[in-house]
Amino acid sequence: MSSAPSEPGPRRRQRRSLAARITIWYVAAFAVSLAALVAAIVPAVRGAVAHEDAVVVQTRVERHLALLVRRGLPAYQQAVEQAGALGDSNVAVRVRDAEGRVLFQRGDVGAAVRTASRTTSELRLELGADTDPWHAVADRLRPGMLALLAFAVLLALVGGFYVTRRALLPIRELATTARDVAVSGDLSRRVPASDGHDELTELTELFNRMLARNQQLVHGMRDALDNVAHDLRTPLTRLRGGAELALRGDDPEAMREALGDTIEESDRVLAMLRMLMDISEAETGLMHLERAPTRLAQLARDTVELYEHVADDAGIGLSVAVDTDVIADVDVMRMRQAIANLVDNAIKYTPRGGRVTLEIAADGGRALVRVRDTGEGIASEALPRIWDRLYRADPSRSRPGLGLGLSLVRAIAHAHDGEVHVESEPGHGSVFTIALPRAVSSSS
Ligand code: ADP
C-alpha cells in the first residue's frame, strides 16, 4: 500500500506526453504538407510569370521593329535615345544589318535578364529587358506568406493540442477511475458517462459495466462467506459441545456413542456446507451452469424413477403428468437437483396413503415444473419464510432435513432466470411451481 500513491506520478507524465506527442506529430505532418504545397506551387507560378514576361518582351520587340521599319533607323535611333519615348526606359537594343554588322546599339543586350529578337530581310533587332517580375512578386508576397505560415503553424499547434487533449479526456477519466479503484479498492467508483457514440464512449461503458460486475461478484462472495460462517457456527458449536461432554465422562460405551454422533454431526455439517456453497454460488451468479435446451419431460421422468422406491416405502403414490413439447434452457444436473428437492419434500411432508404428482406444463412463454402433494400443507404464517436458509416450520423439526432444500431450489431457479412459488392449504396439501423461460429449439 505504501508504494501505491507514488505510482500515479510517472503515469500522469506519460499521459501528458501522449497528448504532446500526438500534437507534435500533427504539427509536423501539417508543416510538411504545407512545405510540399509551396514546393509544388512555386515552380508553377514562377513558370507562368516567366512565360508572361517573355510574351511582354516579345511584344516590345514587335513594337520597336514596327517603329524602326516605319520611321527608318535615324528616327528610331532618336526615339530610343530620348529615353522613355517608347515607354521603355530600361531596355537595351541592338540593330544589325543583314551581314550582322551593328548599326545601332544602346545598352548591353547580352547582359539583360531577358532577350528577344526579330529579323527582317534587311535587319535584325535584338532587345534585352532587365525585368524580373518573379522576384518582384516574391518580394511582395514573402512577408505576408511568412506571417500566414507562422499563424497556421501556431494555430495547428494550439488547436491540435486542445483537440487532442479533449479527445483523450475519456481515457484520462478512465485512468483516474482505474487508479482510484486500484489504490482505494473502492469498486463503487465509476467513470463519468459522456453522451457521445464513439469508441471511447463504448470503452467507458464497458469499463463501468466491468466494475459493476466485479462489485456484484465481490459483494456476493463477501455475503456468501458471511452467511456460511454464520450458518455453520451453531452446528459446529453443537459438535464441539457433544465431544467435550463425552470427554468429561469415562464410560467407554458413552464415548463410542459420542464419537458415532460426532461423525453423524460432521456429515451433516459437510452436507450443509456443500448446500450452503451451492446456494451462495447460485445466488451470486458464480454457479457454473451448462445450459442447453432440454425436454423437461425427460427430467421429470428421471426424477420420478429415482424416487419410486422412497415413495413406495412411504406408502405414497407418485406419478408424472407431462407435456412432452416443453423445452427450457437448463443445466440438467442442477435442474434435476431442484426438482428432486421438491419431490423429496413432497414425499417427506405427505402422510402414508397420500399422492405426489410431478407435472410439466407450458403457460405462454413459460415452462412450468409443478410438484403437487396431498400432504400436511404449510401454515400461512410460515409460507413467506420457507424459502429462507435454515428455516424449518415447527411441525417439520422432528423430520430429517437441513432447512436448505427450498433455498437451493429458489437459487437454482433464479440462476436460470426463473421464479418459484407455492400455494398451500394446511391439511390438504401444497403445490410448488418452478417457472422458467420457455426455449424454442431442442437438442435433446
Ligand atoms: P427441510 O425440508 O430440510 O426442512 P426445506 O428448505 O426443503 O428444508 O423446506 C423448508 C420448510 O418448508 C420445511 O421444513 C417444511 O416445514 C416446509 N415444506 C417444504 N416443502 C413442504 C411440503 N411439500 N409440504 C409441507 N411443508 C413443506
Side-chain angles (χ1 to χ4, degrees):
M1 276 303 275
S2 61
S3 69
S6 65
E7 270 177 44
R11 285 197 197 146
R12 191 172 296 148
R13 265 205 305 283
Q14 225 174 32
R15 195 183 64 218
R16 273 203 200 110
S17 77
L18 178 62
R21 268 209 315 269
I22 293 178
T23 310
I24 287 167
W25 276 107
Y26 170 67
V27 171
F30 181 69
V32 168
S33 320
L34 263 187
L37 194 73
V38 170
I41 284 178
V42 164
V45 174
R46 202 173 181 163
V49 169
H51 177 73
E52 278 302 307
D53 195 34
V55 170
V56 168
V57 174
Q58 193 62 45
T59 316
R60 283 171 157 185
V61 176
E62 305 288 353
R63 229 173 43 232
H64 278 248
L65 188 71
L67 185 71
L68 177 61
V69 170
R70 197 157 22 105
R71 306 253 307 257
L73 184 61
Y76 171 70
Q77 208 170 328
Q78 198 183 1
V80 172
E81 292 297 349
Q82 294 161 0
L86 279 158
D88 289 332
S89 48
N90 57 346
V91 292
V93 286
R94 185 160 57 203
V95 181
R96 295 176 195 270
D97 63 12
E99 279 78 44
R101 282 190 299 269
V102 175
L103 303 177
F104 165 65
Q105 172 162 341
R106 181 177 174 274
D108 184 358
V109 174
V113 172
R114 194 173 301 284
T115 58
S117 62
R118 269 302 302 273
T119 313
T120 66
S121 51
E122 295 131 33
L123 292 168
R124 177 178 168 78
L125 176 64
E126 295 164 346
L127 185 135
D130 271 339
T131 54
D132 189 2
W134 165 247
H135 279 101
V137 169
D139 285 351
R140 202 167 311 152
L141 285 182
R142 194 171 291 121
M145 287 297 272
L146 283 178
L148 206 70
L149 212 74
F151 179 71
V153 168
L154 195 74
L155 196 72
L157 198 75
V158 174
F161 191 67
Y162 174 75
V163 169
T164 310
R165 269 189 74 83
R166 258 189 78 93
L168 291 180
L169 186 71
I171 293 186
R172 277 205 305 282
E173 281 172 341
L174 210 88
T176 307
T177 308
R179 192 181 315 117
D180 287 353
V181 172
V183 171
S184 68
D186 178 5
L187 284 169
S188 66
R189 293 277 166 85
R190 295 291 178 273
V191 185
S194 60
D195 32 55
H197 297 287
D198 53 17
E199 292 88 342
L200 287 181
T201 315
E202 194 188 350
L203 179 69
T204 304
E205 278 169 15
L206 285 175
F207 187 76
N208 279 344
R209 262 168 55 193
M210 185 186 76
L211 284 179
R213 180 82 183 123
N214 280 354
Q215 187 182 19
Q216 187 196 357
L217 288 179
V218 168
H219 281 178
M221 281 160 82
R222 205 176 291 154
D223 288 351
L225 203 66
D226 284 353
N227 287 338
V228 170
H230 176 263
D231 294 343
L232 284 182
R233 196 164 294 140
T234 313
L236 285 175
T237 310
R238 205 165 49 222
L239 190 77
R240 190 177 191 285
E244 212 169 44
L245 205 68
L247 269 181
R248 262 192 229 137
D250 49 10
D251 175 8
E253 199 46 47
M255 281 172 110
R256 189 180 293 275
E257 206 175 303
L259 271 177
D261 288 350
T262 306
I263 290 174
E264 222 171 88
E265 191 70 26
S266 305
D267 286 345
R268 256 175 74 86
V269 171
L270 282 174
M272 208 167 147
L273 183 63
R274 244 193 321 271
M275 266 182 115
L276 282 170
M277 293 310 292
D278 278 354
I279 295 167
S280 294
E281 278 183 7
E283 278 176 350
T284 53
L286 291 172
M287 181 177 265
H288 175 69
L289 294 178
E290 281 181 21
R291 293 174 75 168
T294 307
R295 238 171 248 283
L296 295 181
Q298 194 51 47
L299 270 186
R301 288 196 192 102
D302 291 350
T303 314
V304 164
E305 211 171 290
L306 203 70
Y307 276 91
E308 244 158 20
H309 292 301
V310 184
D312 269 358
D313 289 352
I316 287 165
L318 177 59
S319 57
V320 278
V322 292
D323 175 343
T324 48
D325 289 338
V326 182
I327 294 160
D329 220 0
V330 298
D331 179 313
V332 171
M333 209 259 295
R334 290 298 182 186
M335 196 44 66
R336 193 179 286 152
Q337 191 179 14
I339 300 174
N341 265 306
L342 292 181
V343 173
D344 189 74
N345 275 351
I347 295 172
K348 195 161 67 177
Y349 299 113
T350 300
R352 193 165 278 277
R355 283 212 68 76
V356 171
T357 320
L358 174 51
E359 297 169 13
I360 302 294
D363 174 21
R366 299 188 313 161
L368 305 179
V369 179
R370 207 174 267 138
V371 178
R372 221 180 264 280
D373 67 56
T374 56
E376 62 198 48
I378 304 161
S380 57
E381 61 275 12
L383 265 186
R385 301 196 54 202
I386 55 170
W387 308 103
D388 295 348
R389 280 173 311 122
L390 301 178
Y391 177 79
R392 309 196 71 207
D394 279 338
S396 320
R397 294 188 194 274
S398 55
R399 300 200 186 83
L402 298 169
L404 290 172
L406 289 181
S407 310
L408 184 63
V409 171
R410 185 175 63 169
I412 290 176
H414 286 175
H416 282 82
D417 314 307
E419 291 292 333
V420 279
H421 64 266
V422 59
E423 288 157 50
S424 187
E425 211 181 316
H428 287 93
S430 316
V431 183
F432 283 84
T433 309
I434 302 177
L436 301 166
R438 208 175 155 188
V440 267
S441 67
S442 165
S443 66
S444 61

